[in-house]
Structure formats: C-alpha cells, structure tokens
Amino acid sequence: MRFLKRIAAAAGIVMAGALPSAAQTLTVWHDLGDNGLKWFEAMSAEFAKQRPGVTVKSLSYPTDQWFGRVISALNTDSAPDLIYNNYERVIRIQDQTGKVSDLKPVLGKITDKAFLTEDDLKVATYKDRQIIIPIQRVQMGFGVRKSWLDKLGETFPETWEDAKRVAAKFRDNDPDGNGKADTFGFALEAAKPRDLIHILDLFSFGTGLRHTLIDPAGNITIDEPRHAAVLEEFLKTYTSYKFVAPDTINHSFTEMYQVIEGGRGGMFRVGDWNVKKWDGEKVLNGDFIVGKWPKFAAGETNYVVIGGMRGIAIPENAPNKALAQEFAQFMLTKAAQQASLDNVGAAVRADLDVAALSPRSQYFAKAEAPLIAYDFPEAVHSFYPELEAAFHKKLLSGIAKPPADWKPFIAETAKEMRELAAKLKAK
C-alpha cells in the first residue's frame, strides 16, 4: 500500500485513504426469468457505488429446478450467497434444510423501513424466525384481452355472471379473428396442488372470502355456503362450462403461460411481475386490461389479491455471509426498490417514480384497487401442505369424472378434509 501511494503521489493522483475493495462476487438464485436478471444487474451497478469491486451475479431457474438446486446446495454446503423467492417457497426450503438464516438482526440495522407494514413483517416470519427481508409485494389481478372485449362488444367483467357470459363468447365467437375454434374463455392450471388451489385462492379471496380450505382455528371452510358456491362454479369452469382448454387438468404454470402468451386465453391471472413481458411486442403487446377479480354475489367486493411476499433470504452456510447481509439491506433502499419496480413491476416502498410504467403496471404500483391478502395457512398449520395435496387429489378426481351434482361432492370432500385435518393435527 505504501509503495502504491508513493507511485500515486509521483503521478499526481490523490488517494482517499485506501484502495477500492478487492473484486468480489455475490451469487443470487431466483426464478424471475429475464426480468429478474435485469433487475439484479441494475442493483449490482447501484451497489457497486457503495461497495466498489463487488458484483452481484444472479441466476434464474424454473421454479421446480430452483427448489431442487437450493435444497441440494444448502444440504451439501455449496450454497449461493443469497436466495430470492416467494415467502412460502422459502418456508419449504427452511422445512427441508433448516439452513435459512434468521434476518431479524439484519433488518434491525436498517433505519429507513417505515414503509414495511406489520403484515409485511408477519408474512416474513416463520416459526419465530424471519426467513426473508420483504422486497416485493406479490399482487395478482384479473386480466382480460382488450381487443377481444372490443370486438365482441363487451366490457371488463365485474361479476361472475359477467365473466361466464364473456367466457362463452371468447370460446365460441372467434375473438382473435383467425377463423379457427382455438380460443378459450380462461387460461387456468390444475396439474399440481399449488396450481389448482392457487387459482381457487384467487377467485375466493378476490370476492372477499378470507380462507380457502382451512381457517386459522383449524375449521374446514369449503362447505360453508359462500365458499361452496364459489367452489362449485370454479369446478364447473373446468368441466361442464368448457371454458378452458381440454387438457387443462395437466397444465402447470408453464402450460398456463403458453395458453396466455400464445394468445388463446381470454381471461387469466396477471401477476405484477407478468406485465412488463406481456406488454412486449412479441407477447401480448399490451393487449389486456388488468382489474379486480369478479365478485360472485351481490354485496361482495371485488379485490386484487396480495398472493404473497417475495423476499431475500440468506443461507446459514452462505460463502460471503457478511457481504450478503449488506446487500440484503441495500435491497430496501430507494435505488434498489426503483429498479425492482422498473424491471419486475413490484416493490414495497411507496415513494417511487411510476411515470415510466405502462397503465397496467401503474395499476399495481399505485394500488388503485382494494387489496386483500392471502392468509398463508402453511404458516399457521404445519400440516397444511399435506392437507392441500389431499384436497387437490379429490378435486382432480371430480374434474376428471364430474359428478351429476357438485353439492354432495363438496359436502363429502369437506367431511374427508375434516377427518384428515384431525389426524394430521394429532401427529
């Protein structure tokens, strides 16, 4: 250092006490695709302003691969520095590895965090351990193809009856004008438990029902009158109404997106993270409206659903743990949050510039609609994933071979779920 300073002095260079930090790379694993890669690249450039020489490299994997890679890496001491995903997915990582750090001390050092709500922090906590720092609220609205509505003389559906009428027209009236019967009222999914039950969550919470399958006290809710009415209509959407592609029973996220992005689905879930891609010329070119989920009965309220919280987590065996903690704190700064909003369409701060966003992204960023939060039953009932898997299996059996009357089917399903929940609690 003394030698370098002498050379710098001879060259007329003023050194500010020390040389820049040695080159160092932090690695982050996520499942946000191209938008996520761009976001972390932007944050890396901003972070380097306060930590010269440090580069943040992110790798994106399909969700199923992300699970497998993260679990394997944490269990074999080959973990990345940080992992980024939805809260419930980090819960699964913690349950299977026990190697996700408690970030309470890290968050405690951040002074600028008043924008984080009590609910944000509650969602981030699992079994008294804060497993993520909340970075992006996950908002999910109801999307409808605008040009299809215009062609068929329809408006954005506010009620379920509206949605059924529009779905039938989207299915039968060639809304894309290609002369083929290849469009569907809805693009949905059903293959795995989180596929099917996730969509049921959205329709249920979207009309103001707070719990889909089980409430915090452990009561099964699916045969309560309002819940049963939504569930019956939901199941008919896959069956007698014929509003979805015939093979939707086998669709997961990938296949559902193929229907949406291939221009064959008229109504669909729109996550705040989807908008930037779907605004692109090579996808939907912005030809969709985002709004609230349809309400199923008079007196109910239409909502946009907060379906989760994405956040940053740090493995206990992260190779650069101290620096990873510093970057995790940085992710709540205004610069990092602006990059999040610009590239992914979501954030937690309320003081960001939204002028450059499309109307569909602004809809989420400005929180223009009433919001309702998913209840995260897995955080209350450790047995919930097993219960949900059984519920999914039962619903799939009904979709594969629809009963003549759904009401007895729902009553029978509720009885089976109560019996199973009691057994799981007793374990």
Side-chain angles (χ1 to χ4, degrees), residues 49-350:
K49 294 177 183 178
Q50 68 182 51
R51 290 292 264 141
V54 176
T55 300
V56 181
K57 179 182 179 181
S58 82
L59 299 173
S60 180
Y61 301 102
T63 302
D64 287 347
Q65 290 185 29
W66 182 89
F67 275 126
R69 287 176 180 271
V70 171
I71 290 168
S72 176
L74 268 63
N75 282 332
T76 57
D77 287 333
S78 56
D81 297 295
L82 305 111
I83 56 175
Y84 189 85
N85 218 308
N86 289 358
Y87 161 76
E88 66 271 17
R89 293 172 183 167
V90 181
I91 286 179
R92 178 173 162 185
I93 298 300
Q94 175 63 4
D95 278 342
Q96 296 196 32
T97 68
K99 294 182 179 180
V100 178
S101 296
D102 184 357
L103 296 178
K104 286 191 188 78
V106 177
L107 184 64
K109 296 176 182 178
I110 301 174
T111 56
D112 182 15
K113 59 185 176 187
F115 46 85
L116 291 178
T117 68
E118 184 178 343
D119 282 346
D120 292 338
L121 297 177
K122 183 178 180 182
V123 166
T125 304
Y126 178 61
K127 294 183 177 179
D128 296 324
R129 177 184 288 251
Q130 187 178 326
I131 58 173
I132 63 169
I133 289 180
I135 302 297
Q136 297 166 339
R137 296 185 186 96
V138 181
Q139 295 185 57
M140 288 177 276
F142 191 59
V144 187
R145 291 298 300 273
K146 184 179 185 302
S147 64
W148 294 16
L149 289 173
D150 293 343
K151 180 179 179 181
L152 300 176
E154 284 286 354
T155 57
F156 189 93
E158 293 291 326
T159 69
W160 180 242
E161 290 303 314
D162 293 338
K164 287 196 294 183
R165 183 186 67 252
V166 171
K169 289 185 177 183
F170 284 174
R171 180 195 62 201
D172 300 335
N173 294 4
D174 190 22
D176 60 355
N178 70 353
K180 300 177 182 179
D182 60 353
T183 55
F184 307 102
F186 292 92
L188 303 179
E189 55 186 332
K192 300 176 183 178
R194 267 291 83 195
D195 297 330
L196 185 65
I197 313 307
H198 167 66
I199 298 297
L200 177 58
D201 290 336
L202 294 175
F203 280 113
S204 299
F205 280 83
T207 195
L209 302 181
R210 293 282 176 174
H211 313 292
T212 301
L213 171 59
I214 189 170
D215 69 15
N219 301 308
I220 298 298
T221 60
I222 56 175
D223 58 345
E224 293 177 0
R226 292 175 67 206
H227 288 77
V230 172
L231 179 55
E232 180 173 346
E233 288 296 298
F234 176 73
L235 293 168
K236 286 179 178 177
T237 299
Y238 288 85
T239 56
S240 58
Y241 292 158
K242 301 186 187 311
F243 287 155
V244 298
D247 57 343
T248 298
I249 193 171
N250 299 315
H251 286 192
S252 192
F253 287 100
T254 299
E255 293 78 17
M256 180 177 72
Y257 279 12
Q258 287 172 349
V259 174
I260 298 169
E261 296 176 359
R264 295 187 297 141
M267 291 179 281
F268 41 86
R269 181 203 75 177
V270 182
D272 48 19
W273 67 97
N274 295 135
V275 176
K276 189 175 181 66
K277 180 181 181 183
W278 293 352
D279 276 343
E281 291 183 10
K282 294 182 179 180
V283 193
L284 298 183
N285 199 24
D287 180 22
F288 61 102
I289 301 172
V290 180
K292 298 169 285 188
W293 289 84
K295 60 183 178 182
F296 280 74
E300 294 182 344
T301 300
N302 307 74
Y303 290 95
V304 167
V305 181
I306 299 177
M309 177 67 71
R310 295 190 206 95
I312 195 73
I314 300 176
E316 291 280 19
N317 50 0
N320 301 291
K321 195 170 183 181
L323 187 58
Q325 291 173 345
E326 189 176 336
F327 180 73
Q329 294 171 322
F330 166 78
M331 290 179 74
L332 284 178
T333 64
K334 189 171 182 179
Q337 285 279 291
Q338 186 68 55
S340 174
L341 186 63
D342 293 344
N343 289 282
V344 183
V348 287
R349 293 186 72 111

Side-chain angles (χ1 to χ4, degrees), residues 33-44:
D34 290 342
N35 291 342
L37 295 173
K38 292 174 184 176
W39 172 40
F40 278 99
E41 184 178 357
M43 283 194 293
S44 177

Side-chain angles (χ1 to χ4, degrees), residues 336-403:
Q337 285 279 291
Q338 186 68 55
S340 174
L341 186 63
D342 293 344
N343 289 282
V344 183
V348 287
R349 293 186 72 111
D351 57 349
L352 305 177
D353 181 5
V354 302
L357 300 180
S358 74
R360 290 157 296 283
S361 287
Q362 287 193 25
Y363 183 81
F364 288 119
K366 294 180 179 179
E368 295 177 346
L371 299 175
I372 188 170
Y374 176 60
D375 60 345
F376 303 101
E378 61 271 39
V380 179
H381 307 293
S382 59
F383 59 82
Y384 179 75
E386 192 171 346
L387 182 71
E388 182 182 80
F391 184 44
H392 171 255
K393 185 177 180 180
K394 181 72 174 182
L395 295 187
L396 275 194
S397 72
I399 292 172
K401 294 183 179 180

